[in-house]
């Protein structure tokens, strides 16, 4: 216990001050980093927000998988946390995190909002205890564009976007939930509905999900339905991590599974299997002369507003079955993944060069082997995959900490031009598996708490035409960012990014003139050279004020942006603060201004009301949300 006493008395004030940081701000920081590079690879970004929003995990029972789901912990940090708790026993204070090797103040500040300390709990809570002590959350969200009040009221009502969501959760060991959702323009409130129930850690049963869930395998070469970081300066951007099975809590209407998933574990061996059967949106072409029908494309928007969109709704039956066999060791884990997909109509793409190797027919299969191990060289990960026709793809990566100040990550991918998978989400330029070779290098250097350098470079090559490019393509992207934090209340960073024919420059400043007020200023410039030698330019500037008085139930955010671009090609994305468990990143193009106001008020610990109003030259929008939480 001497080691504990030594560390728990160090910088205690810093730890206590940071416990007030909201989880939503941490999620915003992750999304801002990824979206700013326009490389968000996801099936539903709101899946990430909805899953962990409002959750707190017991530091003495949080699992390795739960830590991976937080998206900002490096593999060696997770390993050191698990080893520390195993060697020294349960934590006696959250301040003890300072004693965990490889955990710095920056890491602790980010994770504290997700942790709580509970003692004297049974190792395996009974079902009755899980139901009694679980937390309930009800969420209602609506919004749409501002309309003329003289319009037909029934038509006006249909323009609103609606979401109703209820969820029960007991430390991720017992969960159930239901969702009803409609997009603006859809008439049926239950245009999309989702239901799930999940139980975990009961004997050899690690997890079982009934209803709707997502499946994440390996490094995303053959199947990954959940959220995944894209190319950015985040050290984990090139590494896929997360639960194999996860309840579907987002609003994506097509990319999820519906059925049953079972995950078993006995000592070092894990075995998992799942079956899914549901209908998805697709464009079905019918040949009445020959009495044939086929799917020309799979639709992912989830919009069912017009006659054509309603015709395509749930037009294709999709059956998916898969299995995963994993072997855990002291160094890491190795897995075998198999997946089979079948449709009631064959897939037949248009006869275009970029579709020559596209998936066709009624069935498709993929298999892969992936690994993630810690060695003296560093943290090594990778995946090798085959498709139905024997075409191959592979990726390999390394994450290495060279002391406390320098981290590096490398990622190599070689995916054959013929390799295909239906639900991949691999780290790549094209955001898909197949037809790409590339190498990614990421360096984070923090010489002191005041200074931080983030550098990455990615070079890639497509040997076969794609939808967006008629022939062979090679490209590269380079990014350099310097961050200066003279104190806890001030941050300044500058970024320069080169991407083939574009150059982007950004200066961002954030400071707190008073404890309750945060000011953010940004100026961003983009230059793009066209194939004809013409250079197009764009510029965006904004001022944002965030008012959050301590120990008060209300907060407010306001931003005013000014933008001037020569066209859509020079559009500039800027992440916006929004409703809790929601996400927005509009594109600014043309010439104009955009402003928004976000207001939030908490009625005790149970109710939270939030509203947002945004306006620009194109449209005015509003959103409102109510969250009601209750439990012991």
């Amino acid at each position: 216990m001497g080691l504990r006493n030594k560390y728990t008395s160090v910088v205690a004030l810093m730890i206590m001050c940071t416990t007030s940081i909201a989880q939503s701000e941490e999620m915003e920081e992750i999304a801002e980093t990824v979206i700013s590079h326009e490389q968000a690879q996801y099936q539903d970004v709101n899946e990430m927000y909805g899953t962990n929003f409002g959750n707190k995990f017991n530091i003495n029972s949080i699992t390795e998988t739960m830590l991976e789901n937080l998206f900002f912990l490096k593999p060696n940090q997770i390993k050191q946390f698990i080893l520390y708790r195993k060697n020294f026993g349960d934590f006696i204070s959250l301040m003890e995190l300072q004693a965990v090797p490889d955990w710095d103040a920056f890491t602790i500040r980010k994770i504290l909002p997700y942790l709580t300390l509970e003692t004297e709990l049974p190792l395996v809570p009974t079902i009755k205890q899980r139901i009694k002590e679980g937390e309930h959350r009800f969420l209602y969200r609506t919004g749409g564009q501002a309309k003329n009040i003289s319009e037909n009221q029934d038509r006006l009502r249909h323009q609103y976007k609606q979401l109703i969501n209820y969820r029960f959760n007991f430390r991720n060991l017992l969960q159930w939930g239901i969702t009803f959702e409609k997009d603006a323009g859809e008439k049926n409130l239950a245009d999309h509905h989702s239901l799930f129930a999940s139980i975990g850690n009961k004997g050899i049963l690690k997890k079982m999900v009934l209803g709707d869930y997502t499946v994440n395998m390996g490094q995303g070469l053959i199947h990954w339905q959940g959220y995944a970081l894209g190319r950015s300066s985040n050290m984990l951007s090139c590494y896929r991590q997360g639960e194999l099975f996860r309840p579907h809590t987002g609003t994506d209407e097509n990319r999820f599974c519906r059925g049953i998933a079972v995950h078993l574990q006995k000592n070092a061996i894990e075995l998992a299997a799942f079956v899914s059967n549901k209908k998805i949106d697709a464009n079905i072409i019918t040949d009445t002369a020959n009495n044939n029908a086929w799917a020309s494309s799979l639709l992912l928007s989830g919009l069912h507003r017009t006659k054509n969109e309603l015709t395509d709704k749930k037009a294709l039956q999709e059956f998916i079955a898969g299995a995963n066999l994993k072997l855990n060791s002291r160094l890491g884990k190795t897995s075998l993944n198999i997946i089979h997909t079948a449709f009631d109509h064959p897939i037949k793409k248009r006869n275009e060069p970029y579709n020559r190797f596209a998936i066709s027919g009624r069935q498709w299969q993929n298999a892969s082997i992936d690994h993630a191990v810690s060695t003296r060289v560093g943290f090594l990960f990778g995946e090798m995959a085959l498709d139905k026709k024997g075409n191959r793809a592979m990726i390999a990566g390394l994450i290495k900490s060279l002391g406390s100040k320098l981290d590096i990550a490398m990622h190599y991918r070689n995916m054959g031009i013929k390799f295909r998978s239906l639900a991949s989400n691999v780290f790549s330029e094209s955001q898909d598996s197949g037809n790409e070779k590339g190498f990614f290098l990421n360096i984070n250097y923090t010489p002191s708490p005041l200074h931080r350098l983030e550098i990455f470079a990615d070079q890639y090559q497509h040997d076969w035409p794609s939808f967006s490019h008629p022939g062979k393509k090679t490209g590269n992207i380079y990014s350099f960012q310097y961050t200066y934090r003279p104190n806890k209340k001030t941050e300044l960073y500058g970024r320069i990014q080169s991407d083939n024919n574009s150059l982007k420059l950004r200066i961002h400043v954030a400071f707190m003139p008073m404890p309750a007020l945060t000011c953010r200023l940004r100026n961003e410039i983009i230059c793009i050279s066209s194939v004809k030698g013409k250079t197009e330019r764009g510029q965006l500037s904004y001022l944002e004020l965030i008012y959050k008085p301590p120990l008060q139930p209300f907060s407010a955010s306001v931003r005013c942006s000014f933008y001037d671009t020569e066209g859509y090609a020079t559009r500039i994305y800027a992440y916006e603060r929004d409703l809790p468990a929601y996400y927005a990143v509009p594109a600014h193009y043309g010439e104009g201004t955009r402003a928004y106001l976000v207001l939030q008020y908490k009625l005790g610990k149970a109710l939270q009301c939030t509203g947002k109003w945004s306006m620009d030259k194109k449209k005015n929008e509003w959103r409102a949300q109510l969250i009601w939480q209750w439990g012991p």
Side-chain angles (χ1 to χ4, degrees):
M1 298 298 292
L3 182 61
R4 294 186 173 192
N5 294 332
K6 175 182 177 181
Y7 281 99
T8 53
S9 61
V10 180
V11 294
L13 181 60
M14 182 276 295
I15 300 293
M16 296 179 65
C17 290
T18 56
T19 56
S20 62
I21 298 177
Q23 292 184 17
S24 59
E25 294 178 347
E26 300 304 329
M27 303 304 284
E28 287 175 12
E29 184 177 338
I30 294 173
E32 169 69 8
T33 301
V34 177
I35 297 301
S36 62
H37 294 283
E38 300 178 35
Q39 282 293 319
Q41 295 177 290
Y42 63 92
Q43 309 302 344
D44 184 2
V45 174
N46 292 316
E47 186 88 40
M48 175 188 73
Y49 277 68
T51 301
N52 286 324
F53 175 76
N55 286 355
K56 280 185 174 291
F57 305 95
N58 181 13
I59 192 173
N60 289 319
S61 61
I62 189 170
T63 65
E64 180 179 353
T65 301
M66 294 175 185
L67 292 169
E68 289 178 343
N69 288 336
L70 296 179
F71 288 104
F72 51 76
L73 290 176
K74 292 176 287 189
N76 64 303
Q77 292 177 322
I78 296 175
K79 179 182 178 181
Q80 293 294 347
F81 177 92
I82 299 298
L83 286 176
Y84 180 89
R85 191 174 62 187
K86 179 180 179 180
N87 292 331
F88 291 95
D90 288 350
F91 286 84
I92 58 176
S93 169
L94 292 177
M95 294 183 289
E96 194 179 341
L97 287 170
Q98 298 166 94
V100 178
D102 295 335
W103 281 51
D104 53 20
F106 182 74
T107 300
I108 296 172
R109 178 182 67 85
K110 295 174 74 68
I111 198 174
L112 276 176
Y114 296 94
L115 296 180
T116 184
L117 180 66
E118 299 179 29
T119 57
E120 298 181 359
L121 291 175
L123 295 178
V124 183
T126 64
I127 298 296
K128 182 177 180 180
Q129 180 186 1
R130 296 183 186 195
I131 296 175
K132 181 179 179 181
E133 298 184 8
E135 295 184 350
H136 304 260
R137 187 187 75 168
F138 172 83
L139 182 150
Y140 174 71
R141 181 189 305 145
T142 185
Q145 298 185 27
K147 296 293 181 180
N148 190 313
I149 59 175
S150 63
E151 293 190 26
N152 180 276
Q153 293 299 313
D154 184 64
R155 180 183 175 188
L156 178 62
R157 175 171 54 84
H158 292 157
Q159 294 302 316
Y160 294 162
K161 185 178 177 70
Q162 310 268 4
L163 173 67
I164 298 174
N165 174 272
Y166 162 75
R167 185 177 179 185
F168 170 87
N169 185 16
F170 175 79
R171 305 191 189 109
N172 285 351
L173 299 178
L174 180 64
Q175 304 177 67
W176 61 72
I178 187 169
T179 298
F180 296 97
E181 186 260 353
K182 68 174 287 292
D183 295 299
E186 298 173 343
K187 295 183 178 181
N188 185 3
L189 176 61
D191 178 81
H192 168 65
H193 58 274
S194 179
L195 178 69
F196 74 87
S198 172
I199 186 172
N201 289 1
K202 289 293 292 183
I204 65 171
L205 180 64
K206 185 174 182 179
K207 191 160 196 172
M208 180 174 69
V209 186
L210 296 172
D212 296 344
Y213 57 93
T214 58
V215 180
N216 302 320
M217 288 181 163
Q219 290 299 303
L221 268 178
I222 68 171
H223 199 86
W224 191 281
Q225 293 178 315
Y227 179 85
L229 297 175
R231 182 174 53 195
S232 73
S233 57
N234 188 314
M235 190 53 57
L236 297 176
S237 63
C238 62
Y239 173 58
R240 297 284 182 264
Q241 61 180 358
E243 291 178 277
L244 177 63
F245 301 136
R246 196 175 207 173
H248 177 52
T249 58
T251 56
D252 193 296
E253 301 184 24
N254 292 281
R255 289 165 290 193
F256 65 92
C257 292
R258 175 168 288 173
I260 182 172
V262 179
H263 191 171
L264 307 176
Q265 181 173 12
K266 181 68 173 180
N267 298 325
I269 299 177
E270 299 181 36
L271 177 64
F274 67 96
V275 176
S276 169
N277 191 20
K278 74 179 193 303
K279 291 186 176 182
I280 61 174
D281 296 352
N283 185 10
I284 304 297
I285 306 298
T286 302
D287 182 357
T288 56
N290 298 310
N291 196 27
N292 291 331
W294 63 89
S296 62
S297 61
L298 306 181
L299 307 178
L300 304 176
S301 70
L303 298 176
H304 310 123
R305 305 160 299 183
T306 65
K307 182 179 179 180
N308 289 338
E309 291 174 346
L310 289 171
T311 300
D312 296 334
K313 179 181 179 181
K314 311 303 180 188
L316 185 66
Q317 190 77 30
E318 176 192 61
F319 173 83
I320 307 176
N324 168 269
L325 177 63
K326 181 185 296 182
L327 177 62
N328 297 298
S329 68
R330 182 177 58 86
L331 296 178
K333 53 192 176 184
T334 303
S335 300
L336 171 65
N337 311 290
I338 301 174
I339 189 164
H340 166 82
T341 305
F343 303 100
D344 63 341
H345 293 298
I347 297 177
K348 184 180 178 181
K349 299 289 185 71
R350 291 186 300 170
N351 187 19
E352 299 287 350
Y354 56 82
N355 283 332
R356 180 175 178 180
F357 305 112
I359 293 174
S360 61
R362 292 179 180 269
Q363 298 183 0
W364 197 257
Q365 295 87 31
N366 287 99
S368 75
I369 296 177
D370 73 272
H371 68 275
V373 297
S374 298
T375 69
R376 292 184 178 181
V377 176
F379 180 78
L380 302 174
F381 61 92
E383 185 174 15
M384 296 183 291
L386 294 173
D387 66 12
K388 175 183 177 180
K389 298 182 178 180
N391 302 308
R392 294 171 293 179
M394 63 85 65
I395 62 172
L398 164 71
I399 299 176
K400 175 71 172 179
S401 293
L402 302 174
S404 60
K405 298 180 180 180
L406 181 63
D407 296 320
I408 63 171
M410 292 182 285
H411 183 280
Y412 172 73
R413 54 198 184 273
N414 189 341
M415 301 177 288
I417 61 175
K418 298 181 181 181
F419 178 84
R420 292 295 183 272
S421 58
L422 278 163
S424 64
N425 191 355
V426 69
F427 179 88
S428 66
E429 189 276 337
S430 61
Q431 302 186 3
D432 200 359
S433 61
N435 188 30
E436 182 170 324
K437 299 176 183 177
F439 180 76
F440 173 80
L441 174 65
N442 191 3
I443 300 174
N444 288 180
Y445 178 55
T446 309
S448 72
L450 277 67
H451 308 278
R452 181 175 176 85
L453 294 177
E454 299 176 10
I455 305 170
F456 76 79
D458 188 36
Q459 294 185 322
Y460 57 89
Q461 176 179 312
H462 300 162
D463 293 328
W464 191 258
S466 63
F467 177 79
S468 59
H469 197 273
K472 182 177 179 179
K473 178 184 178 182
T474 59
N476 52 70
I477 177 173
Y478 306 100
S479 177
F480 177 90
Q481 177 173 311
Y482 166 70
T483 303
Y484 176 61
R485 295 188 182 94
N487 52 61
K488 294 180 180 179
K489 298 181 179 181
T490 306
E491 177 182 280
L492 182 150
Y493 75 79
R495 176 189 300 156
I496 179 170
Q497 180 175 312
S498 172
D499 185 357
N500 294 327
N501 61 340
S502 71
L503 180 67
K504 302 175 185 177
L505 303 172
R506 174 188 293 182
I507 298 295
H508 182 96
V509 180
F511 61 95
M512 298 179 65
M514 60 181 66
L517 182 64
T518 300
C519 300
R520 296 175 179 173
L521 298 97
R522 175 179 297 180
N523 187 61
E524 188 160 353
I525 300 173
I526 181 173
C527 299
I528 295 181
S529 298
S530 66
V531 293
K532 298 181 180 180
K534 180 183 177 181
T535 300
E536 296 185 15
R537 296 178 175 83
Q539 183 267 341
L540 166 73
S541 299
Y542 72 64
L543 168 64
E544 181 176 32
L545 301 177
I546 304 171
Y547 183 63
K548 298 182 67 175
L551 305 179
Q552 296 298 321
F554 61 88
S555 63
S557 303
V558 60
R559 178 191 292 182
C560 187
S561 304
F562 306 89
Y563 55 93
D564 184 3
T565 77
E566 296 186 38
Y568 187 72
T570 51
R571 64 192 180 277
I572 299 176
Y573 292 94
Y575 178 85
E576 294 186 353
R577 294 177 66 85
D578 216 293
L579 310 179
Y582 191 78
Y583 140 104
V585 53
H588 300 74
Y589 59 94
E591 181 180 0
T593 60
R594 176 177 173 83
Y596 71 78
L597 172 66
V598 179
L599 298 174
Q600 184 176 105
Y601 191 86
K602 295 182 179 180
L603 300 173
K605 295 183 179 181
L607 289 176
Q608 183 183 84
C609 305
T610 312
K612 178 177 180 179
W613 175 272
S614 63
M615 53 186 177
D616 59 24
K617 68 174 184 179
K618 304 177 188 66
K619 58 186 176 181
N620 297 339
E621 292 183 301
W622 64 274
R623 277 187 288 277
Q625 179 171 282
L626 172 69
I627 296 178
W628 178 27
Q629 294 179 289
W630 70 96

